[in-house]
Amino acid sequence: NQFFGQGFTNPRRPRRPVNRPIQIGIECSLEEVFHGCKKQIQIDQTGRTMSIDIPQGIDNGQTIRYKGLGMNDVKNAPPGDLMCKIRVRNHPNFHRQKLDLHTEQTINCFQAILGTKIIFDNIDRKKITIKIPPGTQPGTTMRIPEHGITGMNRKTGHLFVHVNVSVPTNLKEKDKDDIKSISESYS
């Protein structure tokens, strides 16, 4: 009143009651995120069971809002929202970085020297064939375009194959002699 005079009023309207949102966590596999999936969930606060869509490409830690699926105990107020925080389990063979997938494949040292072809399953179980050129060094990374995860923006990441080279430990003496003579010719 000192600043605005006696005529100034600040009418506070009473807040309309609202239905609260429900927050839950959902665990998904990397395969489920790769394809997108439906999940049956039970909401403890309400006792309801429902089916929700998990969008393809959702990232670990992201929260999805499902409008109107929250609390609905306040009459004459719109239902609250359901907020689902996604946790993506680690995969034994694939590691995700944004939309890219990374995996490791092991070849022996002779395959690295001479070159070879390797076939393995991608996360969608489709066969991937890559040609390993002669002289491939340990730690080489090969990129297969657009074989990663398709995000919610419809962009698709890449698949990166990290090549490990194993050295045999059970060579026969004759094999060792042969390798030694080859090695000496390159010294």
Side-chain angles (χ1 to χ4, degrees):
N1 284 347
Q2 284 179 322
F3 293 109
F4 299 105
Q6 296 291 333
F8 178 77
T9 58
N10 183 11
R12 288 190 170 224
R13 283 187 233 148
R15 269 190 163 179
R16 290 181 58 200
V18 295
N19 282 296
R20 290 177 297 118
I22 295 174
Q23 298 186 346
I24 64 169
I26 297 180
E27 190 174 80
C28 297
S29 69
L30 192 54
E31 289 94 338
E32 287 173 323
V33 167
F34 186 90
H35 294 287
C37 67
K38 282 192 178 298
K39 283 270 193 190
Q40 284 289 123
I41 59 165
Q42 183 166 9
I43 301 172
D44 294 337
Q45 294 97 322
T46 65
R48 284 180 294 162
T49 300
M50 63 179 73
S51 177
I52 59 170
D53 289 313
I54 305 294
Q56 180 183 32
I58 188 132
D59 209 348
N60 186 46
Q62 274 189 286
T63 298
I64 314 169
R65 177 191 296 267
Y66 298 93
K67 201 148 180 63
L69 296 182
M71 297 299 286
N72 196 18
D73 50 357
V74 176
K75 301 284 185 262
N76 301 322
D81 296 336
L82 174 63
M83 312 293 287
C84 297
K85 186 169 185 176
I86 303 298
R87 189 179 89 73
V88 182
R89 291 191 299 273
N90 290 333
H91 192 280
N93 301 322
F94 292 90
H95 169 70
R96 178 181 181 174
Q97 284 186 327
K98 297 186 178 172
L99 296 178
D100 296 329
L101 287 174
H102 294 258
T103 189
E104 293 184 3
Q105 294 294 317
T106 300
I107 59 174
N108 65 46
C109 61
F110 306 111
Q111 292 171 316
I113 292 166
L114 300 172
T116 189
K117 186 168 71 170
I118 58 174
I119 301 170
F120 63 95
D121 288 339
N122 197 4
I123 197 162
D124 58 0
R125 300 189 188 250
K126 290 183 180 167
K127 297 284 183 202
I128 300 278
T129 302
I130 58 174
K131 190 176 178 184
I132 305 290
T136 293
Q137 299 299 309
T140 296
T141 299
M142 307 182 86
R143 182 178 78 112
I144 304 171
E146 297 188 349
H147 277 70
I149 291 176
T150 299
M152 296 194 301
N153 59 3
R154 309 316 301 159
K155 288 185 179 174
T156 302
H158 309 301
L159 173 63
F160 291 90
V161 181
H162 304 275
V163 180
N164 295 327
V165 178
S166 68
V167 177
T169 57
N170 56 350
L171 288 173
K172 298 181 177 124
E173 285 307 315
K174 181 188 177 306
D175 296 331
K176 289 180 183 175
D177 291 340
D178 290 342
I179 292 169
K180 187 177 180 186
S181 65
I182 293 169
S183 150
E184 286 168 355
S185 68
Y186 282 91
S187 304

